[in-house]
Amino acid sequence: FKSYEDLLNSLPPKRRDIFLLRVQEDLSTKVIAMQMGIARKTVQNQLGKAIETLKVSLIRLFTIGIPLAILLS
């Protein structure tokens, strides 16, 4: 991944939208559910999956990217 935006774009669109509404717009899961016309539990599940995916991607980036950068310097 080259940027935060690339990382977000790797998420499925609905999951990305939920994540952005929660993190950037600071909306509650209840408000997101109402806006999107889906169950609050769906919002919570999708948010959890988005966070897990981003966490794994960042861990991979740092555990693979940093040692490689050190070796190349």
Side-chain angles (χ1 to χ4, degrees), residues 3-72:
S3 68
Y4 174 69
E5 191 172 307
D6 289 340
L7 201 57
L8 290 177
N9 287 332
S10 72
L11 296 172
K14 182 177 174 182
R15 194 170 295 164
R16 179 180 59 242
D17 292 346
I18 289 170
F19 179 80
L20 292 174
L21 287 170
R22 180 68 188 109
V23 174
Q24 291 183 346
E25 302 296 325
D26 198 29
L27 299 180
S28 69
T29 56
K30 182 179 179 179
V31 171
I32 295 168
M34 289 187 322
Q35 281 189 359
M36 296 184 78
I38 57 178
R40 185 176 186 184
K41 187 66 177 170
T42 300
V43 171
Q44 293 168 337
N45 289 338
Q46 292 298 311
L47 188 57
K49 289 178 182 182
I51 291 168
E52 183 63 26
T53 298
L54 295 172
K55 181 173 77 172
V56 168
S57 295
L58 287 171
I59 288 170
R60 284 184 185 153
L61 177 67
F62 283 104
T63 58
I64 293 170
I66 290 176
L68 197 57
I70 291 170
L71 290 173
L72 296 175

